[in-house]
Amino acid sequence: MPKLGSHRVLAVFRRAPLLVWRRVRRNWWLDRTCIIFLVTIGIVFGLSYYFMNVMANVASKRSKLIEDALGTRYTLPDVFFEFIGAVELLWMTDMFDALMFVPTALLVAWHERPWRVVSRLLLAWGLASLIRITTVAITSVPDPRPSCQYVEGNVFTAFTLHRCGDAIYSGHTLIFVVCAMVWTSFAPKNIVGRVLTTCAWALCVAGSLIVIANRAHYTIDVLLAWYIAPGAWYTVAWFWYWQVTKKGRLLRIEFPVEVGRHRDKDSREMCQRRRVQLGLTSDGVPYDPVAMYLNALQDSEMTPPRQSVEFGEKGGSAESSDLLELPDSSCAVDVGVGNLSRDHALP
């Protein structure tokens, strides 16, 4: 028996590359349009992150003006600072970023529509980053952490973590909440998925408290991230549904296996119901159900049904399509009652 078990394990390892390749071909393969779309998203996301770093450097330089004007470093009053003791463990804020991001990346890799998750994640994260560009350097506040370092170099090339003035709003908390939103929307709909989603939100809350305890941000910065990240996520979800899903666009991203299929275990009837709800054909082409019904109704009125019509005296019967071909144009066929009426007698 142990020998037989080892053979089964070896067989599984031998088949694993083939199974992975089949999954890649089925769920990860893209056409040209989808590749261009994803490359565009990646470029926009990269630009938003770069300019967010530039504006954070600007905020750091402006924050130094406050210290120069006051002659000392000053921290604004904060309610949570009064209840949460200060710690010097900044590495924990980056650790929580990894604790949120790595499991989320594994979820994306195992998901049956992975590029859809990647697109939604990058769009929501990029939108929130664009919002942060407009807030981080507009209002300069004293940094809550006295030991922070100011940016001294070129604002377009300098990259420093935990710099002074990088306050409104918290970029670390933004990552926490966006990853938690991914788990909320795309985790498996079973007990395991629910437990993992709960753990993701627990890590999100713990990471936010760690950010405040390290005085990396004021509480208002963390709260703004909690407000903006879900708003950006659901804004992208609304736009995606109406502009991509309902219009049958980016099918290799939205439905990589079959139009209307979310998971491999979905039945054909379930996929058909989804296509009807979305107004899509099996090829992903949008249609209007009302217009199709009216066209079918018009076609049925133009083409009379085939049915037998009895002749009064001679007996026998004829098909309605045959009667329409009678040479006498004065003959009228009442298909509804099945009687032949004539304005003039047949010769």
Side-chain angles (χ1 to χ4, degrees):
M1 291 299 294
K3 187 176 181 180
L4 180 60
S6 63
H7 280 302
R8 289 182 177 178
V9 172
L10 289 175
V12 169
F13 277 102
R14 288 171 183 168
R15 293 182 58 192
L18 180 60
L19 295 176
V20 171
W21 173 246
R22 287 179 178 175
R23 188 177 184 87
V24 169
R25 288 278 300 178
R26 182 182 58 185
N27 297 336
W28 290 83
W29 213 255
L30 296 173
D31 55 21
R32 180 179 299 179
T33 303
C34 294
I35 292 174
I36 294 174
F37 175 76
L38 287 171
V39 170
T40 304
I41 288 179
I43 293 174
V44 172
F45 175 78
L47 288 174
S48 67
Y49 219 77
Y50 169 73
F51 283 107
M52 184 177 65
N53 179 74
V54 171
M55 296 306 292
N57 291 336
V58 173
S60 180
K61 287 183 174 293
R62 288 178 56 83
S63 180
K64 192 173 187 306
L65 299 177
I66 301 176
E67 180 180 348
D68 294 340
L70 296 177
T72 182
R73 291 197 174 185
Y74 178 75
T75 301
L76 297 176
D78 191 291
V79 173
F80 270 55
F81 286 3
E82 300 173 6
F83 293 97
I84 301 177
V87 297
E88 287 290 338
L89 299 171
L90 278 175
W91 59 269
M92 291 190 67
T93 60
D94 301 324
M95 182 191 72
F96 270 89
D97 276 342
L99 288 176
M100 292 296 298
F101 190 78
V102 173
T104 303
L106 295 176
L107 172 65
V108 173
W110 188 251
H111 201 271
E112 289 162 327
R113 296 191 289 170
W115 289 118
R116 183 173 187 265
V117 185
V118 171
S119 301
R120 293 269 302 273
L121 171 62
L122 292 181
L123 286 171
W125 194 350
L127 177 60
S129 298
L130 289 174
I131 296 174
R132 191 169 189 266
I133 290 173
T134 64
T135 61
V136 68
I138 296 300
T139 302
S140 299
V141 297
D143 200 90
R145 186 166 51 91
S147 60
C148 67
Q149 299 295 322
Y150 291 108
V151 173
E152 300 293 342
N154 190 336
V155 296
F156 292 99
T157 57
F159 183 81
T160 306
L161 291 175
H162 310 293
R163 78 210 96 186
C164 293
D166 188 4
I168 304 173
Y169 57 92
S170 174
H172 284 79
T173 309
L174 168 63
I175 297 175
F176 303 157
V177 180
V178 168
C179 290
M181 293 302 302
V182 172
W183 282 93
T184 301
S185 299
F186 297 111
K189 306 303 181 184
N190 52 32
I191 185 63
V192 176
R194 294 187 181 93
V195 170
L196 292 176
T197 302
T198 303
C199 292
W201 282 107
L203 284 174
C204 187
V205 173
S208 301
L209 294 177
I210 288 294
V211 169
I212 297 175
N214 278 279
R215 303 302 189 255
H217 285 279
Y218 291 105
T219 304
I220 186 62
D221 304 333
V222 175
L223 290 177
L224 284 174
W226 273 85
Y227 302 151
I228 293 173
W233 179 265
Y234 286 116
T235 299
V236 170
W238 178 87
F239 177 84
W240 187 274
Y241 178 78
W242 288 105
Q243 298 300 323
V244 177
T245 306
K246 286 284 288 184
K247 295 189 176 182
R249 295 168 174 167
L250 305 173
L251 290 177
R252 286 299 303 172
I253 294 177
E254 183 68 15
F255 301 113
V257 178
E258 178 188 359
V259 177
R261 183 174 296 277
H262 291 178
R263 292 173 293 273
D264 292 338
K265 64 180 181 179
D266 290 345
S267 63
R268 291 186 176 273
E269 292 76 12
M270 183 180 297
C271 297
Q272 178 62 26
R273 285 199 299 269
R274 288 199 186 106
R275 288 195 293 267
V276 172
Q277 292 172 356
L278 294 173
L280 299 175
T281 65
S282 58
D283 297 329
V285 179
Y287 69 89
D288 186 358
V290 176
M292 290 187 65
Y293 173 76
L294 294 177
N295 291 336
L297 185 62
Q298 184 179 5
D299 293 341
S300 65
E301 291 176 353
M302 293 178 61
T303 306
R306 296 175 61 88
Q307 65 182 60
S308 298
V309 180
E310 298 293 339
F311 289 92
E313 298 177 355
K314 296 182 179 180
S317 62
E319 297 291 338
S320 59
S321 59
D322 296 332
L323 293 175
L324 291 176
E325 296 177 359
L326 291 174
D328 190 355
S329 60
S330 62
C331 295
V333 180
D334 187 355
V335 180
V337 298
N339 296 325
L340 178 65
S341 60
R342 291 170 292 178
D343 296 335
H344 302 283
L346 289 172

PDB file of all heavy atoms in Angstrom, residues 281-293:
ATOM      1  N   THR A 281     -25.904  37.693 -26.024  1.00  0.00           N
ATOM      2  CA  THR A 281     -25.991  36.392 -26.676  1.00  0.00           C
ATOM      3  C   THR A 281     -24.841  35.516 -26.188  1.00  0.00           C
ATOM      4  O   THR A 281     -23.981  35.945 -25.424  1.00  0.00           O
ATOM      5  CB  THR A 281     -25.925  36.550 -28.197  1.00  0.00           C
ATOM      6  OG1 THR A 281     -24.625  37.077 -28.563  1.00  0.00           O
ATOM      7  CG2 THR A 281     -27.004  37.513 -28.688  1.00  0.00           C
ATOM      8  N   SER A 282     -24.807  34.266 -26.643  1.00  0.00           N
ATOM      9  CA  SER A 282     -23.736  33.363 -26.249  1.00  0.00           C
ATOM     10  C   SER A 282     -22.386  33.816 -26.789  1.00  0.00           C
ATOM     11  O   SER A 282     -21.342  33.402 -26.282  1.00  0.00           O
ATOM     12  CB  SER A 282     -24.036  31.948 -26.752  1.00  0.00           C
ATOM     13  OG  SER A 282     -24.189  31.950 -28.159  1.00  0.00           O
ATOM     14  N   ASP A 283     -22.386  34.679 -27.815  1.00  0.00           N
ATOM     15  CA  ASP A 283     -21.144  35.240 -28.353  1.00  0.00           C
ATOM     16  C   ASP A 283     -20.764  36.557 -27.694  1.00  0.00           C
ATOM     17  O   ASP A 283     -19.766  37.186 -28.079  1.00  0.00           O
ATOM     18  CB  ASP A 283     -21.269  35.460 -29.864  1.00  0.00           C
ATOM     19  CG  ASP A 283     -21.469  34.156 -30.611  1.00  0.00           C
ATOM     20  OD1 ASP A 283     -20.944  33.132 -30.134  1.00  0.00           O
ATOM     21  OD2 ASP A 283     -22.140  34.163 -31.654  1.00  0.00           O
ATOM     22  N   GLY A 284     -21.566  37.021 -26.714  1.00  0.00           N
ATOM     23  CA  GLY A 284     -21.264  38.267 -26.031  1.00  0.00           C
ATOM     24  C   GLY A 284     -21.767  39.506 -26.741  1.00  0.00           C
ATOM     25  O   GLY A 284     -21.367  40.615 -26.388  1.00  0.00           O
ATOM     26  N   VAL A 285     -22.654  39.349 -27.724  1.00  0.00           N
ATOM     27  CA  VAL A 285     -23.187  40.497 -28.460  1.00  0.00           C
ATOM     28  C   VAL A 285     -24.414  41.024 -27.721  1.00  0.00           C
ATOM     29  O   VAL A 285     -25.340  40.260 -27.437  1.00  0.00           O
ATOM     30  CB  VAL A 285     -23.559  40.103 -29.893  1.00  0.00           C
ATOM     31  CG1 VAL A 285     -24.125  41.303 -30.641  1.00  0.00           C
ATOM     32  CG2 VAL A 285     -22.340  39.545 -30.621  1.00  0.00           C
ATOM     33  N   PRO A 286     -24.478  42.315 -27.376  1.00  0.00           N
ATOM     34  CA  PRO A 286     -25.655  42.850 -26.678  1.00  0.00           C
ATOM     35  C   PRO A 286     -26.890  42.819 -27.566  1.00  0.00           C
ATOM     36  O   PRO A 286     -26.805  42.972 -28.784  1.00  0.00           O
ATOM     37  CB  PRO A 286     -25.253  44.288 -26.335  1.00  0.00           C
ATOM     38  CG  PRO A 286     -23.771  44.332 -26.472  1.00  0.00           C
ATOM     39  CD  PRO A 286     -23.420  43.328 -27.531  1.00  0.00           C
ATOM     40  N   TYR A 287     -28.039  42.624 -26.961  1.00  0.00           N
ATOM     41  CA  TYR A 287     -29.308  42.680 -27.685  1.00  0.00           C
ATOM     42  C   TYR A 287     -30.360  43.289 -26.767  1.00  0.00           C
ATOM     43  O   TYR A 287     -30.213  43.302 -25.548  1.00  0.00           O
ATOM     44  CB  TYR A 287     -29.742  41.297 -28.154  1.00  0.00           C
ATOM     45  CG  TYR A 287     -30.155  40.353 -27.042  1.00  0.00           C
ATOM     46  CD1 TYR A 287     -31.475  40.307 -26.586  1.00  0.00           C
ATOM     47  CD2 TYR A 287     -29.228  39.512 -26.440  1.00  0.00           C
ATOM     48  CE1 TYR A 287     -31.849  39.455 -25.568  1.00  0.00           C
ATOM     49  CE2 TYR A 287     -29.594  38.659 -25.425  1.00  0.00           C
ATOM     50  CZ  TYR A 287     -30.912  38.634 -24.990  1.00  0.00           C
ATOM     51  OH  TYR A 287     -31.275  37.793 -23.965  1.00  0.00           O
ATOM     52  N   ASP A 288     -31.431  43.773 -27.409  1.00  0.00           N
ATOM     53  CA  ASP A 288     -32.547  44.369 -26.680  1.00  0.00           C
ATOM     54  C   ASP A 288     -33.686  43.358 -26.660  1.00  0.00           C
ATOM     55  O   ASP A 288     -34.276  43.069 -27.707  1.00  0.00           O
ATOM     56  CB  ASP A 288     -33.000  45.659 -27.366  1.00  0.00           C
ATOM     57  CG  ASP A 288     -34.072  46.393 -26.566  1.00  0.00           C
ATOM     58  OD1 ASP A 288     -34.464  45.872 -25.504  1.00  0.00           O
ATOM     59  OD2 ASP A 288     -34.502  47.472 -27.001  1.00  0.00           O
ATOM     60  N   PRO A 289     -34.030  42.765 -25.518  1.00  0.00           N
ATOM     61  CA  PRO A 289     -35.096  41.760 -25.489  1.00  0.00           C
ATOM     62  C   PRO A 289     -36.432  42.286 -25.988  1.00  0.00           C
ATOM     63  O   PRO A 289     -37.176  41.568 -26.652  1.00  0.00           O
ATOM     64  CB  PRO A 289     -35.161  41.367 -24.005  1.00  0.00           C
ATOM     65  CG  PRO A 289     -33.852  41.780 -23.424  1.00  0.00           C
ATOM     66  CD  PRO A 289     -33.422  42.976 -24.210  1.00  0.00           C
ATOM     67  N   VAL A 290     -36.757  43.538 -25.708  1.00  0.00           N
ATOM     68  CA  VAL A 290     -38.041  44.093 -26.148  1.00  0.00           C
ATOM     69  C   VAL A 290     -38.068  44.200 -27.671  1.00  0.00           C
ATOM     70  O   VAL A 290     -39.058  43.833 -28.324  1.00  0.00           O
ATOM     71  CB  VAL A 290     -38.275  45.467 -25.496  1.00  0.00           C
ATOM     72  CG1 VAL A 290     -39.564  46.094 -26.024  1.00  0.00           C
ATOM     73  CG2 VAL A 290     -38.321  45.340 -23.990  1.00  0.00           C
ATOM     74  N   ALA A 291     -36.974  44.686 -28.249  1.00  0.00           N
ATOM     75  CA  ALA A 291     -36.915  44.795 -29.704  1.00  0.00           C
ATOM     76  C   ALA A 291     -36.987  43.426 -30.363  1.00  0.00           C
ATOM     77  O   ALA A 291     -37.654  43.254 -31.393  1.00  0.00           O
ATOM     78  CB  ALA A 291     -35.635  45.518 -30.120  1.00  0.00           C
ATOM     79  N   MET A 292     -36.306  42.425 -29.766  1.00  0.00           N
ATOM     80  CA  MET A 292     -36.371  41.082 -30.333  1.00  0.00           C
ATOM     81  C   MET A 292     -37.780  40.519 -30.263  1.00  0.00           C
ATOM     82  O   MET A 292     -38.245  39.860 -31.193  1.00  0.00           O
ATOM     83  CB  MET A 292     -35.393  40.159 -29.598  1.00  0.00           C
ATOM     84  CG  MET A 292     -33.927  40.456 -29.872  1.00  0.00           C
ATOM     85  SD  MET A 292     -32.838  39.226 -29.156  1.00  0.00           S
ATOM     86  CE  MET A 292     -33.305  37.777 -30.109  1.00  0.00           C
ATOM     87  N   TYR A 293     -38.492  40.787 -29.179  1.00  0.00           N
ATOM     88  CA  TYR A 293     -39.864  40.302 -29.050  1.00  0.00           C
ATOM     89  C   TYR A 293     -40.776  40.954 -30.075  1.00  0.00           C
ATOM     90  O   TYR A 293     -41.598  40.283 -30.712  1.00  0.00           O
ATOM     91  CB  TYR A 293     -40.366  40.580 -27.639  1.00  0.00           C
ATOM     92  CG  TYR A 293     -41.830  40.271 -27.443  1.00  0.00           C
ATOM     93  CD1 TYR A 293     -42.282  38.966 -27.317  1.00  0.00           C
ATOM     94  CD2 TYR A 293     -42.767  41.306 -27.407  1.00  0.00           C
ATOM     95  CE1 TYR A 293     -43.619  38.686 -27.155  1.00  0.00           C
ATOM     96  CE2 TYR A 293     -44.116  41.042 -27.245  1.00  0.00           C
ATOM     97  CZ  TYR A 293     -44.534  39.722 -27.117  1.00  0.00           C
ATOM     98  OH  TYR A 293     -45.861  39.448 -26.962  1.00  0.00           O
TER      99      TYR A 293
END
